[in-house]
Amino acid sequence: MKIGVALCTYNGERFVATQLQSIFGQTRAPDLVTACDDASTDGTFPLLQGLASGAPCRVDLVRNPANLGYLRNFEQAIGRCEADIVVLSDQDDEWRADRLERIERAFAADPAVGAVFSDAEIVDERLASLGYGLLQALHADRAEREALSTGRLFPVLLKRNLVTGATLAFRRSWVPMVLPIPQAAVHDEWIALVIAASGSLRFLPDRLIRYRQHGGNQIGARRLTVGDRARLLATPRRAQNERVLSVMKALAGRLAGEAAPATRAEVEHKIEHLERRIRLPAARLPRVPGVIAEIANARYFRYSSGWRAIVRDLLSPM
């Protein structure tokens, strides 16, 4: 089994050496590292070149002449990573020494597994633990944790994403299905949804990376405070709902003829639910009948965050 790492960088000279050293120092060395630098303006690329010269595996270095953005850069790295297992990597974390060993073991144990992802230790920019893991930062509830343990993840992911790309690895055989990534999607959200639709996404409860939080994170994972939640309640959600709707429509198209009819039907129900939420009036009182209708058909609880989404739709600005 050949394991490749798809690493994306952009102005990451502060942290990328630590990340690459943790990749090269794995108990199960990678067979390939594909590193795509997105037109960095600092010393990231020369640093990559220097680190690659002493690597224990083949390193495929790419320097984009113009900035593609993180989504298209990850798409490029995934497409170029010619290995049986593609392991995603951010530029600013640190891997536990046995991460690749644990990933290889999970895939070898079950040929039906299409992708695996793990928990992570949340750390500050100096790699000091913040005292909690990724699942805690995401406030995963009992039902979500049970789904993680049983592997029934698609219904959970229809409600919200629990998969962080920095912890994700998948079989290359899925690349034709997951690429291209829709513009509205986040790469980890999209890959997890597509693969989970077949029931072949698995969770590894170990904290296999140290997930660094700092001012330059593209997407972070700090635990929300009560104040953060209050600010979210006061934030208009139409744009976010429209983004998710676009992703779901793309997913329905990608799964056509591929996933089970029941799975495709769930995606269509999610689309209908989002469309109804987006059509709610700007004035609060006229929203009530539409919200009650979605409560009655249980879609708030099946496809959104339940009472939090209900309160938001009744009270928040549209």
Side-chain angles (χ1 to χ4, degrees), residues 158-159 237-238 240-249 267-280 294 299 303-304 313:
L158 275 182
K159 293 177 69 172
R237 298 292 290 179
R238 188 185 299 275
Q240 171 64 4
N241 286 337
E242 288 174 342
R243 185 197 74 81
V244 177
L245 176 61
S246 178
V247 172
M248 289 298 133
K249 287 182 174 180
V267 177
E268 292 298 335
H269 292 320
K270 167 87 173 189
I271 289 171
E272 292 171 7
H273 170 65
L274 288 169
E275 288 175 337
R276 291 188 180 187
R277 290 186 68 189
I278 289 167
R279 288 198 301 266
L280 290 172
E294 288 300 286
R299 286 179 176 170
Y303 305 117
S304 291
D313 281 356

Side-chain angles (χ1 to χ4, degrees), residues 171-214:
R171 295 188 192 273
R172 183 167 179 79
S173 57
W174 280 93
V175 168
M177 188 71 173
V178 301
L179 298 187
I181 302 170
Q183 186 61 41
V186 182
H187 66 290
D188 47 19
E189 161 195 53
W190 176 255
I191 295 169
L193 276 167
V194 171
I195 298 178
S198 72
S200 57
L201 177 65
R202 297 292 182 269
F203 174 66
L204 305 177
D206 298 327
R207 296 177 180 177
L208 295 181
I209 72 167
R210 300 168 85 184
Y211 191 35
R212 197 192 308 249
Q213 304 299 292
H214 56 87

Side-chain angles (χ1 to χ4, degrees), residues 47 104 241 298:
L47 184 57
E104 182 176 46
N241 286 337

Side-chain angles (χ1 to χ4, degrees), residues 66-315:
N67 186 271
L68 300 178
Y70 82 93
L71 182 66
R72 296 301 163 219
N73 199 33
F74 260 112
E75 189 175 81
Q76 172 184 230
I78 290 167
R80 289 181 65 99
C81 193
E82 294 285 348
D84 302 308
I85 306 299
V86 178
V87 184
L88 300 188
S89 175
D90 290 347
Q91 66 183 359
D92 48 8
D93 303 321
E94 183 181 62
W95 289 7
R96 207 172 81 177
D98 62 342
R99 185 189 179 201
L100 292 185
E101 183 181 337
R102 291 283 292 107
I103 287 171
E104 182 176 46
R105 196 184 310 159
F107 283 112
D110 187 353
V113 171
V116 300
F117 68 106
S118 74
D119 203 350
E121 183 72 21
I122 307 301
V123 299
D124 67 15
E125 66 177 39
R126 294 180 177 84
L127 295 177
S129 175
L130 295 181
Y132 54 89
L134 184 55
L135 282 189
Q136 292 168 302
L138 294 172
H139 299 277
D141 61 28
R142 182 181 298 178
E144 289 170 334
R145 288 177 181 272
E146 182 179 343
L148 289 169
S149 67
T150 60
R152 293 192 68 257
L153 286 165
F154 189 66
V156 171
L157 298 179
L158 275 182
K159 293 177 69 172
R160 68 166 179 142
N161 183 37
L162 289 177
V163 179
T164 297
T167 74
L168 181 63
F170 58 97
R171 295 188 192 273
R172 183 167 179 79
S173 57
W174 280 93
V175 168
M177 188 71 173
V178 301
L179 298 187
I181 302 170
Q183 186 61 41
V186 182
H187 66 290
D188 47 19
E189 161 195 53
W190 176 255
I191 295 169
L193 276 167
V194 171
I195 298 178
S198 72
S200 57
L201 177 65
R202 297 292 182 269
F203 174 66
L204 305 177
D206 298 327
R207 296 177 180 177
L208 295 181
I209 72 167
R210 300 168 85 184
Y211 191 35
R212 197 192 308 249
Q213 304 299 292
H214 56 87
N217 286 97
Q218 188 72 244
I219 300 172
R222 288 187 180 272
R223 190 157 48 183
L224 295 179
T225 65
V226 173
D228 293 331
R229 289 177 175 272
R231 282 188 289 274
L232 283 175
L233 182 61
T235 303
R237 298 292 290 179
R238 188 185 299 275
Q240 171 64 4
N241 286 337
E242 288 174 342
R243 185 197 74 81
V244 177
L245 176 61
S246 178
V247 172
M248 289 298 133
K249 287 182 174 180
L251 181 64
R254 197 67 59 91
L255 296 181
E258 300 289 341
T263 299
R264 299 199 303 271
E266 287 293 291
V267 177
E268 292 298 335
H269 292 320
K270 167 87 173 189
I271 289 171
E272 292 171 7
H273 170 65
L274 288 169
E275 288 175 337
R276 291 188 180 187
R277 290 186 68 189
I278 289 167
R279 288 198 301 266
L280 290 172
R284 289 179 174 83
L285 190 58
R287 299 179 199 171
V288 173
V291 170
I292 289 175
E294 288 300 286
I295 293 173
N297 63 28
R299 286 179 176 170
Y300 273 112
F301 302 95
R302 194 173 184 91
Y303 305 117
S304 291
S305 59
W307 288 109
R308 288 198 301 273
I310 292 167
V311 171
R312 185 180 294 124
D313 281 356
L314 286 172
L315 301 179

